Amino acid sequence: MKQDDDALDTLVRKRIRALRVALGWSLDDLAARCYLSPSTLSRIETGQRRIGLDQLTAIARALGTTLDQLVETVDDEDVVIRPRHDESRGVSTWILSRGPGTQGVTVARMRLTKPARPDAMNAHPGHDWFTVLSGTVTLLLGERRIVVETGEAAEFSTMIPHTFGSDDGPAEILCMFDHDGRRTHLHQAP
């Protein structure tokens, strides 16, 4: 446990210094913003002084971040996002957000190679949003057939039965799904 605490302490100190440097601030600049002396900040950054919660809160606020972001442990072993292919649906998916993001929203890039099929229409709570990066996408929304071209976007209630697919060749889209949309649209092939 002590080793984990030391690693977190070191990580927080490095983040404070990295954020300060990225903002182009000297120790004096940050000290003035968080009401600490430059020598105290220097000792905090170098590990010569323990960081009090009140100090950490003031430093985080001055740096424009949160305590959570300063102490968050991130698994950055594999930073490459690899696609998941579902040949039967004609979809390749790159999930761009690690875990549910703001308010449970997931961001994904999708490459669609098959047309939308009416028998694949589904309804679920929430909203979906997508913008077409390349190609043309057909959105089947209830009784409507909507063509969405490159550079256009669509947003709709997912309580209306819907599905989407490529139209006249492959298409790529950037999507945002709520929790239910993620489960419905981003499920893995068996």
Side-chain angles (χ1 to χ4, degrees), residues 9 13 17 39-49:
D9 187 66
R13 292 173 192 282
R17 183 176 192 297
S39 63
T40 298
L41 276 174
S42 176
R43 290 192 310 263
I44 286 172
E45 284 185 4
T46 60
Q48 298 171 1
R49 180 183 176 124

Side-chain angles (χ1 to χ4, degrees), residues 7 14-15 35 48 58 65 102 108 116 123 135 145 148 164 182:
K14 285 181 180 179
R15 284 184 177 158
Y35 307 105
Q48 298 171 1
T65 190
T102 306
R145 181 182 186 275
V148 187
F164 47 84
R182 175 188 166 99

Side-chain angles (χ1 to χ4, degrees), residues 105-175:
V105 172
T106 298
V107 179
R109 173 182 161 211
M110 298 176 88
R111 180 174 173 80
L112 310 169
T113 58
K114 293 187 176 181
R117 296 183 352 252
D119 64 321
M121 293 177 72
N122 196 358
H124 54 85
H127 278 77
D128 282 359
W129 173 94
F130 69 83
T131 186
V132 181
L133 302 174
S134 66
T136 303
V137 173
T138 299
L139 168 63
L140 302 180
L141 187 61
E143 299 294 318
R144 298 186 298 165
R145 181 182 186 275
I146 302 163
V147 176
V148 187
E149 303 280 342
T150 300
E152 296 180 331
E155 184 271 336
F156 53 94
S157 168
T158 55
M159 289 300 287
I160 302 168
H162 63 281
T163 190
F164 47 84
S166 64
D167 189 34
D168 290 332
E172 293 202 12
I173 61 175
L174 185 64
C175 320

Side-chain angles (χ1 to χ4, degrees), residues 55-125:
Q55 294 168 328
L56 192 57
T57 302
I59 293 168
R61 187 176 302 118
L63 291 170
T65 190
T66 65
L67 287 175
D68 288 345
Q69 290 170 325
L70 280 179
V71 301
E72 173 185 41
T73 57
V74 178
D75 178 16
D76 62 354
E77 289 180 24
D78 189 3
V79 296
V80 176
I81 299 170
R82 292 178 177 77
R84 296 181 192 154
H85 302 287
D86 184 340
E87 293 299 324
S88 66
R89 292 175 48 218
V91 177
S92 295
T93 305
W94 293 259
I95 299 177
L96 304 177
S97 52
R98 295 188 188 265
T102 306
Q103 299 178 359
V105 172
T106 298
V107 179
R109 173 182 161 211
M110 298 176 88
R111 180 174 173 80
L112 310 169
T113 58
K114 293 187 176 181
R117 296 183 352 252
D119 64 321
M121 293 177 72
N122 196 358
H124 54 85

